[in-house]
Amino acid sequence: MHSFTEENYLKAIYKLQEANGLVVATSALAQVLEVHAPSVTDMLKRMAGKKLVTYQKSKGVKLTEKGRQVAVGIIRNHRLWEVFLVDKLGYKWDEVHDLAEQLEHIHSEDLTNKLDMFLGFPKADPHGDPIPDANGVLPKSKAVLLSTFAEGDQGTFTGVTDHSATFLNYLDKTGFSLGDPIKVKGIEEYDQTYTLQLKGKKEVVVSFKVANSLLLSY
Amino acid sequence: MHSFTEENYLKAIYKLQEANGLVVATSALAQVLEVHAPSVTDMLKRMAGKKLVTYQKSKGVKLTEKGRQVAVGIIRNHRLWEVFLVDKLGYKWDEVHDLAEQLEHIHSEDLTNKLDMFLGFPKADPHGDPIPDANGVLPKSKAVLLSTFAEGDQGTFTGVTDHSATFLNYLDKTGFSLGDPIKVKGIEEYDQTYTLQLKGKKEVVVSFKVANSLLLSY
DNA sequence: AAAATAAATTAGATTAACCTAATTAATCAA
DNA sequence: TTGATTAATTAGGTTAATCTAATTTATTTT
């Protein structure tokens, strides 16, 4: 199989490719993986040799179909284990990331599928991120940022784009909970502050930064 | 933390120390870890530097207290995950070893303890091996080999000393099940063949080799 | 388009974990 | 107790994954 390191590179490339376009820069990878650029160059060469990525020197990397399959498999593992940790073991949504980073590297498709069944085939992880199916198909989410909403708009809180424990704790404390309805009562023009009505008529005021990290569906 | 390799060495040393006495030979480790002797010498030096083992050249190794703690922790993990796989995911007892070998290296005491609670604080894994508690205390089993029984003796089947899938399958097929009562109806003097009465009056004949791999309590 | 800046690569080392071949140390048998 | 056998270690190498320093390639800016 692939080493943990390779798998982490694949995951990182996948995520950067999703977020910022087709090819991923060496420096971007170095940053998210917390290694130095020459290490990345080195690794990319080895991975290109294994046909996990296509790499042209000084031109960035892309995943091959094979690489994409592996990456999505790891993401599937990660998200299923997060569901397990929260639903079965009682962890909170801000505590599961590091553990899932370890568990995602357990190599067994069969285990993944049995876990999936045990958890009742969840469609999203505790942060609302969609779980790829056994064929590596990731449901295309149509959720949209709260920051794109206008006054009077409403939707259901279905995900976050900031997964940091600090942000998740802030949401807990403020009364946000995945699956709840949210309505925009007002937007302050001066500083883009949002006044929201949460479940149970509770009104809260949040900054643009927060509105820009919340995903809503309708 | 410690590398997977280190952890596997610690586990192996622990098991060999339990089975065969105080000090463990380089060659014995090389055999169970499936590496060559010089690799073991190499590794033992590094581990001695970390105070995980005491090592005197050409005199074998012993775990330090620190090393023993780590080893028992890994065994705790391993056995709890085995229970999870069998009780929660529906694996059979002959299928879980390799998966547990991966899962045992997940580093989180908290996860281990939450898993323990989720599983209802099991005292033994699916093969009857005792699970160390959170303090690294391993209950001293008083189970004894069926091969030490005389005609007429009886007990409860509580463990195995051979964990191979082949043997476990044989037991399934023949009608042995952990926790069931077993009575010795007769022992053939010529070849030490045992005639046993299993649960539900079922009579089976087993070889000495089998009798020597079954642990019974009374 | 040349110069300046930023990004990426090459060169050369390091560490953990392994290997083979050669040597030394320990044990057993005559 | 010497000689033979077996076990363990040393010596010297390899590979994956990392590093720093130096160099080359790309991209901006003037």
Side-chain angles (χ1 to χ4, degrees):
Chain A
M1 271 309 101
H2 313 100
S3 69
F4 287 12
T5 307
E6 277 173 347
E7 294 189 349
N8 286 331
Y9 272 79
L10 289 171
K11 196 174 46 148
I13 297 166
Y14 179 87
K15 289 189 170 174
L16 288 167
Q17 232 177 300
E18 289 293 287
N20 316 319
L22 322 90
V23 274
V24 175
T26 303
S27 54
L29 273 172
Q31 207 207 311
V32 312
L33 292 168
E34 298 183 274
V35 297
H36 290 230
S39 312
V40 175
T41 303
D42 225 52
M43 189 67 186
L44 293 182
K45 284 183 191 164
R46 252 170 297 154
M47 289 172 72
K50 297 183 181 177
K51 308 275 186 235
L52 292 167
V53 298
T54 55
Y55 164 71
Q56 294 190 72
K57 81 178 201 172
S58 294
K59 293 263 159 66
V61 246
K62 278 195 302 190
L63 293 180
T64 60
E65 181 49 28
K66 183 180 167 194
R68 203 199 126 270
Q69 285 293 336
V70 177
V72 173
I74 295 159
I75 289 167
R76 174 166 156 81
N77 272 343
H78 183 102
R79 295 182 179 168
L80 284 171
W81 280 114
E82 283 198 347
V83 173
F84 170 73
L85 293 170
V86 168
D87 286 8
K88 301 297 180 181
L89 298 194
Y91 276 97
K92 301 209 253 76
W93 68 343
D94 58 305
E95 300 173 328
V96 294
H97 190 264
D98 292 356
L99 282 172
E101 293 263 300
Q102 293 186 58
L103 288 160
E104 71 189 4
H105 300 292
I106 301 294
H107 292 126
S108 168
E109 261 190 58
D110 184 58
L111 171 57
T112 305
N113 294 335
K114 284 202 164 71
L115 182 64
D116 194 17
M117 180 185 307
F118 177 61
L119 298 171
F121 304 105
K123 292 175 307 305
D125 77 12
H127 313 102
D129 296 314
I131 298 175
D133 71 19
N135 302 312
V137 177
L138 224 154
K140 191 75 193 155
S141 155
K142 44 191 174 299
V144 79
L145 288 174
L146 174 59
S147 55
T148 65
F149 275 40
E151 280 186 25
D153 287 356
Q154 55 185 22
T156 307
F157 172 33
T158 53
V160 294
T161 56
D162 176 355
H163 293 73
S164 71
T166 347
F167 181 59
L168 298 173
N169 275 322
Y170 162 81
L171 293 179
D172 280 338
K173 193 180 65 193
T174 315
F176 288 89
S177 188
L178 223 58
D180 285 358
I182 294 181
K183 180 171 185 177
V184 179
K185 300 300 280 185
I187 304 173
E188 174 55 53
E189 232 181 271
Y190 171 63
D191 62 355
Q192 296 270 100
T193 291
Y194 286 67
T195 302
L196 307 174
Q197 187 178 72
L198 303 185
K199 196 176 161 183
K201 299 269 181 280
K202 189 185 178 195
E203 281 209 355
V204 298
V205 177
V206 304
S207 70
F208 176 78
K209 188 175 177 183
V210 167
N212 204 37
S213 299
L214 297 177
L215 289 164
L216 290 265
S217 308
Y218 33 36
Chain B
M1 269 309 99
H2 312 102
S3 70
F4 287 12
T5 308
E6 277 172 348
E7 294 188 350
N8 286 332
Y9 272 80
L10 289 171
K11 197 175 46 147
I13 297 167
Y14 178 88
K15 289 189 171 173
L16 288 168
Q17 231 175 300
E18 289 292 288
N20 316 320
L22 323 90
V23 275
V24 175
T26 303
S27 54
L29 274 171
Q31 207 207 312
V32 311
L33 292 167
E34 298 183 275
V35 296
H36 290 228
S39 312
V40 174
T41 302
D42 224 50
M43 189 68 186
L44 292 182
K45 284 182 192 164
R46 251 170 298 155
M47 289 173 71
K50 298 183 181 178
K51 307 273 186 239
L52 291 167
V53 298
T54 55
Y55 165 71
Q56 294 189 69
K57 78 179 206 174
S58 294
K59 292 264 160 65
V61 248
K62 278 195 302 189
L63 294 181
T64 59
E65 181 48 29
K66 184 180 167 195
R68 204 199 126 271
Q69 285 292 337
V70 177
V72 173
I74 296 160
I75 289 167
R76 173 167 157 81
N77 273 345
H78 183 102
R79 294 181 181 169
L80 284 171
W81 281 113
E82 283 197 346
V83 174
F84 170 73
L85 294 170
V86 169
D87 286 8
K88 302 296 180 180
L89 297 195
Y91 276 97
K92 302 210 250 78
W93 69 343
D94 59 305
E95 299 173 327
V96 294
H97 189 264
D98 291 356
L99 282 172
E101 293 262 300
Q102 293 186 58
L103 288 160
E104 71 189 4
H105 299 294
I106 301 295
H107 291 126
S108 168
E109 261 192 58
D110 184 57
L111 171 57
T112 305
N113 294 335
K114 284 200 164 72
L115 182 63
D116 194 17
M117 180 186 304
F118 177 61
L119 298 172
F121 304 105
K123 292 176 307 304
D125 77 11
H127 314 102
D129 297 314
I131 297 175
D133 70 20
N135 303 311
V137 177
L138 225 154
K140 191 74 193 155
S141 154
K142 45 192 176 299
V144 78
L145 289 173
L146 175 60
S147 56
T148 65
F149 275 40
E151 281 186 26
D153 288 354
Q154 52 184 23
T156 307
F157 172 34
T158 53
V160 294
T161 56
D162 176 355
H163 294 74
S164 71
T166 346
F167 181 59
L168 297 173
N169 276 322
Y170 163 80
L171 293 178
D172 280 338
K173 190 181 66 192
T174 316
F176 288 90
S177 188
L178 223 58
D180 283 359
I182 295 181
K183 180 171 185 177
V184 179
K185 300 300 280 184
I187 304 173
E188 174 57 52
E189 230 181 274
Y190 172 63
D191 62 356
Q192 297 269 101
T193 292
Y194 285 67
T195 303
L196 306 173
Q197 187 178 69
L198 303 184
K199 197 175 160 183
K201 299 269 180 282
K202 187 186 180 197
E203 282 209 357
V204 299
V205 177
V206 304
S207 70
F208 176 78
K209 187 175 179 184
V210 167
N212 204 36
S213 299
L214 297 177
L215 289 164
L216 289 265
S217 308
Y218 33 34

